[in-house]
Amino acid sequence: MTRGSARRLALTLLLVVGAPAASVVGWAAHLRLPPGALDPYALTSLQVLDRRGRVLREVLSREDGRARWVPLAQISPHLVQATLAGEDQRFYRHAGVDWLALGRSLLLNVRAGRLASGASTLTMQLVRLTDEPLPRRSLKRKLRQLVLAQRLERSLSKPEILWQYLNRAPYGNGTFGVEAAARRYFDKPASQVSLAEAALLAALPRSPAGYDPFRQGLPRLVRRQRYLLGVMRAQGRITAEQQRLALAEPLQLDRARRPFSAPHFVERVLRLPDAAEGTQTLRTTLDLELQRFAEVAVARTVDRLRGRGVTNAAVLVVDNLNGEVLAHVGSADFHNVEDGGQNDGTLALRQPGSALKPFTYALALEQRLTPATLLEDLPVHFATDEGDYAPRNYDDTFHGPVRLRVALASSYNVPAVRLAERVGVHRLLERLRAAGFRSLTRPARYYGLGLTLGNGEVTLQELVAAYAALARGGRTVGLRLVSASRSPGGAWRTSGPTPSRQLFDRRVAYLVSHILADAHARLPAFGRETPLALPFAVAVKTGTSKDFRDNWTVGYTGRVTVGVWVGNFDGTSMQTVSGITGAGPLFAEVMTAAMRELERPETFPAPDGLRHAQVCPLSGALAGPECAGSIEEHFVAGTEPTSRCTMHQRVRLDRRNGLRAGPACPPAQVEERPMLVFPPAYRAWASARGLPVPPELFSPDCPAPAGAATVRIRFPVEGDRYFLDPDLDRRYQSLPLEATVDGAAREVTWLVDGRPVARAPFPFSARWRLESGRHRVQAQLPDGRKSAPVTVSVD
């Protein structure tokens, strides 16, 4: 061959062989793992723990996968050795590619005529776990792994590569890494697995689905485990005795389901900023034992009331000291789709009924009313945009003069509405919003006086937080769900306190708490034997919304606040299930459980600035000599009563006719009897109830002392507006007329536009048939004296 021919042949070979080789070298030079591929915590799943570290749920880090990164020092040496024996026996003797094993594999593949063996080292497998997806057994993928594995060995140490692999490898059943696998299959950390368990775990990455011990793969997995134990013995990684004991060890797989506790609570936690990507662990405030008790109690309550149209209930328990949520039950059964079990009853907007009343009373106490202040529980009418509003009590009875303490404890509606008018709906709404009721978004005019009776929609969480403020001496507290979080690096960060503000004066908050804990003041409405009678001091309030759609019981001790809602998510009515019969028993169960390990004081601690006085149970004034008894009442300093009771008096009567005796009656004809002397506003009520009140008239033989009687109109009210119903016969559309007379009078004449329309003896009430137009109403006594006029309009 001539020299020229040789040159041409060399050039041809260079073009044929060298160009592709150069292309491959250039391609390999630019190979890189994807950015962040070796991030050690990219696969970390989020564990949500209760306050004692028990797992509530593990949130998957990838689709159907859990991973828990641990240092190499926290992985059992048996597990490390079993992995090396099964996956890469020459791990410490190659630089990323085991060329000897690769050559052996190439011969096997040529003989088989297919890719039967891959000879992948742990480093190559790590590349496969972190690299961009390519066809599993393509030549390009294998070349890429060869190049990147050698490059990886130059940037990471052997222990780092081993650490990365053991924390990334797939072990089946949604687990990635040895820590997650050890906990899934044996319910123990990777540091504590035995030799037999380690060999079994080391076998799984070879075929996670084929070796699945929970399906059909257990026999194959056990064979692979025994094979690995033999390899480990042959390689000198274990002794013959260790092998014998491992082969004899019975395998006890943990078949428990993944934890799925407190589902509504965890769902809410996962929406918090604390659960942001990268967080490894969230330690929540939940007490899992109390949570499980509450869940059972809720389910039992719904089963008991299902026959009365109840399908759901919710419970929330909060630590008053810091607002930490201790139990959160959103429904009776999270998995019950038919009854809306995945709805969270603690967040559902519902009408709270009387559960809002304590905040109206707190405002009234701030305005220098006292627990002994006498409130009118009498028929009353209010003019509203929707027409006449006449509130009624739950028992459909009016109770006359009622001390503020009894009115709140017994949950009477009429005094609460009167107080709402007195303190102002706008002021009440502002204070409720300051207490955290952000759901009350409408203007005060929309709710009207019915706001105090719970006609606005709120959530159980808002209600519990507001009651917890009362328990804290009037200081608000935000609800806390997370106490600490841990980053993938292992550093814990404690959650800070929530902002707070003083909602009510501490003394006012104490008085409200003292009233709500007063079982005696609750007697008139609820009786003695109720679910609310607990063996420790509990301030508690019930609520029932219109048509029995919702009922509530919310209460607190010095340490915890418990709120309960019972009802139906679709808003259907229950069958006369009230707060005392529906939510009350559930409240008692959960409150008792929450206080089981806590101190149970008999009273609420009183703040400074309070005074005590003995008052008459009927009038609320200082007890006088004619009062049958007295009770001790609490007052903010400076608001104590200074006058004595005038309702209990000895009344002079004429023995001859039983009428009142004037000062001119001979002593022999006078008899003094202890009687109730009510203010004029209550006389009609007292007479209708048959109470022992003095007669209105004086004896003709013993005339009244000099002085004229006066009269005032109780109803209607100045400026009232009424509407005639065109579909109703006008004969049946009338207006009640009510007057109060101070002094003696036989009757009252009712005048409309100066014309007499009715004559009414005691109790001076009548009705006037409505007529269109603007009218002037007055009441006139027999001596011609008239009340101040009241102007009303009828459309």
Side-chain angles (χ1 to χ4, degrees), residues 382-401:
F382 299 97
T384 69
D385 292 343
E386 288 73 34
D388 179 54
Y389 172 46
R392 308 283 295 185
N393 290 317
Y394 183 78
D395 60 4
D396 206 30
T397 300
F398 296 101
H399 307 91

Side-chain angles (χ1 to χ4, degrees), residues 96-108:
V97 179
D98 189 342
W99 296 107
L100 180 62
L102 189 62
R104 189 185 311 116
S105 172
L106 182 60
L107 290 175
L108 290 174

Side-chain angles (χ1 to χ4, degrees), residues 415-499:
V417 174
R418 288 179 179 270
L419 278 184
E421 182 188 40
R422 178 167 181 165
V423 302
V425 177
H426 287 85
R427 186 177 290 109
L428 173 60
L429 181 58
E430 288 174 359
R431 193 65 63 91
L432 288 173
R433 288 172 177 167
F437 289 99
R438 295 182 179 86
S439 300
L440 297 174
T441 58
R442 301 294 191 97
R445 187 185 185 95
Y446 173 83
Y447 301 110
L449 294 172
L451 179 62
T452 189
L453 303 183
N455 65 359
E457 293 183 331
V458 303
T459 69
L460 182 60
Q461 290 189 14
E462 292 172 335
L463 204 58
V464 167
Y467 271 73
L470 293 174
R472 287 165 50 90
R475 191 165 191 83
T476 61
V477 57
L479 300 187
R480 296 181 64 198
L481 283 70
V482 175
S483 60
S485 58
R486 184 170 63 181
S487 65
W492 281 95
R493 181 176 63 85
T494 303
S495 300
T498 57

Side-chain angles (χ1 to χ4, degrees), residues 123-339:
T123 312
M124 294 170 66
Q125 292 184 50
L126 176 58
V127 169
R128 186 174 70 243
L129 292 172
T130 56
D131 198 12
E132 60 188 25
L134 286 172
R136 182 174 176 81
R137 291 188 179 273
S138 68
L139 179 60
K140 183 178 180 180
R141 176 172 180 150
K142 180 61 69 174
L143 290 174
R144 183 180 176 89
Q145 290 175 8
L146 291 173
V147 173
L148 290 177
Q150 294 177 89
R151 186 166 293 162
L152 198 61
E153 289 268 353
R154 291 194 293 270
S155 58
L156 297 180
S157 67
K158 288 290 186 179
E160 287 174 327
I161 293 172
L162 190 58
W163 173 66
Q164 284 270 352
Y165 174 82
L166 290 171
N167 278 292
R168 289 181 183 274
Y171 288 84
N173 285 288
T175 57
F176 294 86
V178 291
E179 180 71 10
R183 292 186 181 276
R184 176 65 186 92
Y185 295 113
F186 301 114
D187 193 25
K188 61 176 66 173
S191 61
Q192 296 180 13
V193 295
S194 66
L195 173 58
E197 293 167 342
L200 185 138
L201 290 177
L204 282 166
R206 180 65 62 95
S207 179
Y211 288 156
D212 188 346
F214 298 145
R215 292 181 174 85
Q216 306 298 322
L218 184 59
R220 293 182 59 202
L221 179 61
V222 171
R223 287 196 296 271
R224 178 69 180 173
Q225 175 219 31
R226 291 176 176 273
Y227 166 76
L228 287 180
L229 289 170
V231 171
M232 293 176 73
R233 173 69 186 96
Q235 295 176 0
R237 299 177 188 271
I238 58 174
T239 66
E241 179 64 11
Q242 286 177 308
Q243 180 188 20
R244 185 186 69 79
L245 292 174
L247 290 171
E249 180 180 325
L251 291 174
Q252 297 180 345
L253 294 170
D254 180 24
R255 297 179 177 273
R257 297 176 61 185
R258 295 174 183 170
F260 192 77
S261 301
H264 290 103
F265 174 81
V266 172
E267 290 296 327
R268 186 157 177 248
V269 165
L270 295 178
R271 293 195 293 268
L272 297 175
D274 303 88
E277 184 177 353
T279 302
Q280 185 178 35
T281 308
L282 284 177
R283 186 182 296 275
T284 70
T285 62
L286 197 83
D287 184 327
L288 187 55
E289 290 180 0
L290 181 60
Q291 172 73 18
R292 288 171 174 166
F293 178 90
E295 288 174 350
V296 171
V298 165
R300 188 166 53 236
T301 296
V302 171
D303 286 343
R304 175 175 60 86
L305 297 173
R306 193 171 292 275
R308 298 174 65 182
V310 175
T311 61
N312 256 303
V315 166
L316 193 66
V317 184
V318 170
D319 187 329
N320 297 332
L321 299 180
N322 45 32
E324 293 184 347
V325 174
L326 303 177
H328 175 144
V329 183
S331 68
D333 182 356
F334 183 82
H335 302 287
N336 186 332
V337 177
E338 182 179 355
D339 292 332

Side-chain angles (χ1 to χ4, degrees), residues 353-415:
S354 296
L356 285 189
K357 287 177 183 173
F359 305 100
T360 302
Y361 281 83
L363 275 177
L365 290 169
E366 280 190 344
Q367 296 182 8
R368 298 186 66 81
L369 272 68
T370 75
T373 297
L374 214 57
L375 303 179
E376 287 188 18
D377 188 1
L378 298 171
V380 63
H381 299 260
F382 299 97
T384 69
D385 292 343
E386 288 73 34
D388 179 54
Y389 172 46
R392 308 283 295 185
N393 290 317
Y394 183 78
D395 60 4
D396 206 30
T397 300
F398 296 101
H399 307 91
V402 181
R403 285 179 292 117
L404 183 147
R405 172 179 291 273
V406 175
L408 173 55
S410 292
S411 196
Y412 294 148
N413 288 341
V414 176

